[in-house]
Amino acid sequence: MSPLPEFLRTPTFFIDGAWRTGTGGVESAIVDPASGQVLARYLSPSAHDVDAALDAAERGFRLWRAVPAIERGAVLRRAAALMRERLEENARILTLEEGKPLAEARGEWQVTADMFDWFAEEARRAYGRIVPARSADLQQQVVREPIGPVAAFAAWNFPARNPGYKIAAALAAGCSCIVKPAEETPLTCLLLARALADAGVPAGVLNVLYGDPVFLSERLIASPVIRKISFTGSTRVGQLLAVQAAQHAKPATLELGGHAPVLVFDDADIEHAVGQLVPAKYRNAGQTCISPTRFFVQQGSHARFVEAFARASKALRVSDGLDAATQMGPLFHERRLPEMQRFMDDVMARGARVACGGRQQARAGCFWEPTVVSDLGDDALLMQAEPFGPVAAITPFATLEEGLQRANTLPYGLGAYAFTTSLRTAQRVAGGLEAGMIGINTAKLSHAETPFGGVKQSGHGSEGGTEGLDAYLVTKSISMAS
Ligand code: NAD
C-alpha cells in the first residue's frame, strides 16, 4: 500500500491549470531511497504534452504580466501561507521521495515559503528610472518588464526549494513558467503547484512536466515561446543546457556544482567550527551544492580538528528520514552508491587515513556511513571532483597564502567557509576566496534575502536577494519626444 495521499499515487502533470496524465506511453517509478519501495508510477510526456504546456505558458504570460505587481504578490503570499499550513504532510512526502530527515524536509518547506514571501514583496520593487534628457522636448524612461515564459529545470536534492526559488521569482516578475522537476523527485513540485493553484495563480501561468530530461530540455529550450532558461544541477548538465540556450540566443541562469573549501585557522574556536560544519557537511547526506567538503586545517589544529570532527560524525544517527530521531538519511538514489565507492577506492589506493566510515551501511536502502578522510593529497579524486555525499576530506596547511591558493585551485566557486578569530584574516579570506558565497565563522549561507549563486564553473546569475528578480526582467529604454 503506497504511503502517499490518493492524488499522488498516479502522479500527473500540471498543464493549463489542470492535472493531466502523460501521453508518452512509457511508465516510470518513483522510489523511496530508504526502503526501495515504489511510491508511485507515472506515464512519460509526449511532444503533444510539451506543446500543450508551451501554449498554456504563452497564454498565461499575456494574462499574468497584466496583473498588477501588488496583486501578484498577494497570490504568492497566499501560496506561502498554504505551504506552512500543509507543512507536515508536505514534509513527509518530500522525505519519502528524496530521503532527507523530516526535520530537514520541514526546514526546506519553510525556506521555500520564505522565498515566496520575499518575492511577493520584491514584485513591487521592479523599479525603472527617469534619465535626464539632452533636450527640453524629450523624456527618457527606463522600465523593467518580465522577460517572458521561463523553462525552469530543478535538481532532485531540494525538491521544494529548487523549483520553488525559480517559480517565486519568475511569477513575481510577471513571467509564466514551465517547471521540469527531476524525474526522480517530482511529487514535491506537484505539491508546490497545488499550493499555487489553490492560492489563485491563473491557469497556464505555472505548468509542471517531468520525465526524460533530454527530450524535455531540448524541446522546451528550442521553442520560440520560451524566453529564459533557469537550471539547478550538475556542471556537466548545466554546460549542455547552456549550449542549447546559446544556440537560440536565450539567457540562462545556472546554479551548478561546487566543491566547497573550508579554511580553519589555528586561532579559530575549534568547538564552534565543528559545531557548525558537521551539520552542514551531513545535511541531506552531503548532497548539497554548498556542502563543505575540502577541509584545510592549519597545522597546529589539524589533529584536534580531525578527532573532534570524526567523533561528531560517528555519533550521528543514520536511518530512515521518517524516523524522528534520524540525523542523516540515505543517499537519494542507488546510483549514488557506486559513485561513493569510486571516491573511496581512490582514497584506499593512496593509503590515506580513514578516521571514520568509508562504506555503505550493511542494511537495505541507499545508506552510506558518515566518512572522514585525512592526509589526502590535493591530487586525489576526492579533492578534485565533487563527491556529493557524506564524505569530508581534512588536510593540513601552513600559511594563509597556501590555504587560499589550495582552496582556489579548482574550477568551482560556489560556497566557501573560513573559521578564525582574527579580523585581519577574516578580511583577507573574504576578499581572497574565489566563491559566490562565503561564510566566516558560520556555515549558514542561504537566506531568502541574500543572493545565492556561484562563480567560475559553479554557474552564473543569482537566486534570492534583490538579484533574484533581475534574472526574470528585461530592460526597456523609452525616449519620447513631445
Ligand atoms: P546527473 O548529472 O546524472 O543527474 C542530475 C539530474 O540532471 C537528473 O535528475 C536529471 O533530471 C538532470 N538531467 C540529466 N540530463 C539532463 C538534460 N539533458 N537536461 C536536463 N536535465 C538533465 O547526476 P546525479 O548522479 O543525479 O547527481 C550527482 C551530481 O549532480 C553531483 O556531482 C552534483 O554536482 C550534481 N547535482 C548538483 C546539484 C546542485 O544543487 N547544484 C543538485 C543535484 C545534483
Side-chain angles (χ1 to χ4, degrees), residues 240-261:
L240 288 174
L241 298 198
V243 169
Q244 291 174 34
Q247 277 166 346
H248 301 280
K250 295 179 184 177
T253 297
L254 301 172
E255 207 276 272
L256 309 180
H259 199 339

Side-chain angles (χ1 to χ4, degrees), residues 155-157 183-184 217 233-234 236 256 289 335-336 386:
W156 46 263
N157 59 337
E183 57 278 16
E184 304 92 344
S217 58
S234 64
R236 179 185 69 82
L256 309 180
C289 52
R335 71 169 178 264
R336 301 298 308 147
E386 183 188 25

